[in-house]
């Protein structure tokens, strides 16, 4: 005889099991460490893509939920709104860059006041980080890195230089140019560039046409360095006008190996993505909190060492 009860009882058992599994999954998800990055650099940028790779690798290795957010362009008002929105969502930790202290100090202070631990990476510096209540600054002293670059060029006997800045108004990049001038010991004009590589190349061609006595070009990032290399190639000046840059990319490293660029200054930004995720995971799980800043640079990658990191750059690690 057909028994409805015999069918219903196993079904109820399966349903109860599924409900328990869903509840367990929900609890596990609630226990996962949640870290949010809010930076001024888009994830497709040659520099910031490496930061995001570090974040993603750490999240995968440690089982952490990590998100990367940035405005579509260099937009401080939008970035401030993003920080406020993430503060309201109460993550276990927030990682921010501060390229404009006036625009972003308020939102960062509000996040700290709301009980969210904050790590500052790349831009902002140690003093500002601690003034705002941040845990630590991870990056390099951009002004001092610029000074070191200038001293290297001064040692070559060069004095006619230009600093190609693809994002004027970004305090970290402005500091790189200012430090370079101090290290070189002469006034160094700043060429106002843009993120768009074609327009950046055209501006460099125009500058070099008008200032043919330029001996050295310092780019403050890969977004300026790669168009600069293209401009010099097009003008037949590659290897004749010396160049150097902050940050690395496969194209930059190949230029260093080929003698078209003196060096790339490595901030090791992969660590800026990876290590904060690990730090916040340790804090949530074991109440282990970092107590000091974490310098990641500067390191000068020259012709002697560039070949050894090209493959790592292609993998998005350097």
């Amino acid at each position: 005889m057909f028994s409805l009860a015999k069918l219903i009882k196993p079904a109820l058992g399966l349903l109860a099991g599924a409900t328990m599994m869903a509840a367990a999954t929900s609890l596990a998800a609630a226990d996962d460490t949640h870290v949010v990055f809010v930076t001024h650099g888009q994830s497709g940028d040659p520099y910031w893509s490496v930061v995001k790779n570090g974040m993603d690798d750490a999240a995968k290795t440690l089982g952490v939920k990590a998100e990367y957010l940035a405005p579509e362009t260099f937009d401080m008002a939008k970035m401030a709104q993003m920080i406020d929105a993430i503060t309201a969502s109460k993550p276990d930790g927030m990682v921010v860059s501060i390229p404009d202290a006036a625009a972003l100090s308020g939102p960062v202070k509000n996040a700290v006041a709301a009980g969210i631990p904050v790590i500052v990476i790349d831009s902002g510096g140690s003093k500002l980080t601690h003034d705002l209540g941040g845990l630590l600054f991870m990056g390099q002293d951009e002004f001092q890195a610029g000074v070191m670059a200038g001293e290297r060029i001064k040692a070559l006997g060069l004095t006619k230089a230009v600093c190609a800045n693809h994002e004027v108004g970004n305090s970290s990049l402005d500091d790189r140019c200012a430090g370079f001038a101090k290290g070189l010991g002469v006034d160094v004009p700043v060429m106002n560039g843009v993120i768009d590589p074609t327009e950046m190349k055209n501006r460099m061609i125009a500058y070099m046409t008008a200032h043919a006595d330029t001996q050295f070009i310092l780019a403050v990032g890969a977004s300026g360095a790669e168009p600069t290399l293209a401009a010099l190639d097009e003008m037949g000046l590659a290897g004749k006008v010396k160049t150097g840059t902050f940050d690395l990319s496969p194209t930059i490293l190949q230029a260093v190996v080929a003698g078209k660029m003196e060096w790339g200054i490595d901030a090791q930004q992969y660590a800026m993505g990876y290590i904060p995720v690990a730090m916040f995971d340790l804090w949530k799980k074991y109440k282990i909190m970092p107590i000091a800043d974490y310098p990641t640079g500067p390191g000068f990658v020259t012709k002697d060492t560039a070949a050894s990191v090209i493959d790592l750059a292609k993998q998005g690690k350097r």
Side-chain angles (χ1 to χ4, degrees):
M1 180 177 178
F2 175 78
S3 173
L4 183 61
K6 288 182 179 180
L7 289 176
I8 292 176
K9 187 174 181 180
L12 289 174
L14 287 171
L15 179 61
T19 302
M20 292 175 65
M21 287 179 65
T25 300
S26 177
L27 287 171
D31 288 339
D32 286 347
T33 303
H34 182 204
V35 180
V36 181
F37 284 63
V38 184
T39 82
H40 64 277
Q42 297 72 43
S43 61
D45 177 88
Y47 178 90
W48 289 100
S49 64
V50 178
V51 176
K52 185 177 184 299
N53 287 343
M55 181 200 78
D56 289 340
D57 287 350
K60 182 177 180 180
T61 299
L62 300 170
V64 170
K65 179 183 178 183
E67 301 176 74
Y68 185 96
L69 304 175
E72 292 182 3
T73 60
F74 187 74
D75 185 336
M76 294 299 96
K78 181 64 174 177
M79 188 175 170
Q81 293 170 3
M82 287 179 166
I83 293 173
D84 287 339
I86 295 306
T87 297
S89 73
K90 298 288 186 180
D92 296 303
M94 189 187 303
V95 184
V96 301
S97 60
I98 309 180
D100 186 331
L104 301 177
S105 290
V108 173
K109 287 182 74 172
N110 291 340
V112 172
I116 299 169
V118 175
I119 290 175
V120 179
I121 62 170
D122 177 73
S123 49
S126 178
K127 184 179 185 305
L128 178 62
T129 296
H130 295 291
D131 286 348
L132 298 178
L135 292 174
L136 61 87
F137 174 71
M138 179 174 291
Q140 64 187 8
D141 185 321
E142 304 292 5
F143 183 84
Q144 188 56 39
V147 170
M148 293 169 66
E151 289 173 345
R152 282 179 174 246
I153 300 312
K154 184 177 182 179
L156 296 177
L158 306 180
T159 58
K160 299 284 187 178
V162 61
C163 188
N165 190 341
H166 61 274
E167 202 169 64
V168 174
N170 180 331
S171 60
S172 289
L173 305 190
D174 295 342
D175 284 348
R176 291 174 175 183
C177 287
F180 177 67
K182 181 176 177 60
L184 188 56
V186 299
D187 289 337
V188 176
V190 176
M191 193 206 81
N192 291 347
V194 290
I195 292 289
D196 179 75
T198 301
E199 177 61 20
M200 184 70 184
K201 185 186 80 167
N202 290 338
R203 291 192 186 192
M204 180 54 67
I205 290 173
Y207 183 90
M208 291 302 296
T209 299
H211 302 84
D213 60 344
T214 301
Q215 299 169 308
F216 184 85
I217 302 168
L218 176 70
V220 294
S223 293
E226 293 183 10
T228 294
L229 289 167
L232 294 179
D233 276 337
E234 188 170 315
M235 298 179 75
L237 296 175
K240 298 176 183 177
V241 175
K242 294 186 180 296
T243 63
T245 186
F246 281 81
D247 308 332
L248 306 180
S249 73
T251 298
I252 288 168
L253 291 167
Q254 288 161 359
V256 173
V257 170
K260 294 181 178 181
M261 185 165 273
E262 293 295 301
W263 30 253
I265 302 174
D266 186 12
Q268 301 186 118
Q269 69 271 27
Y270 180 87
M272 298 181 203
Y274 195 104
I275 292 173
V277 174
M279 286 178 170
F280 284 133
D281 195 42
L282 285 172
W283 169 244
K284 180 164 186 179
K285 290 177 177 175
Y286 310 120
K287 301 305 177 188
I288 297 173
M289 182 58 73
I291 59 173
D293 290 344
Y294 193 113
T296 62
F300 285 77
V301 178
T302 64
K303 190 172 185 176
D304 292 336
T305 56
S308 65
V309 296
I310 286 178
D311 285 343
L312 293 171
K314 288 179 179 178
Q315 294 169 30
K317 312 298 185 187
R318 295 292 295 274

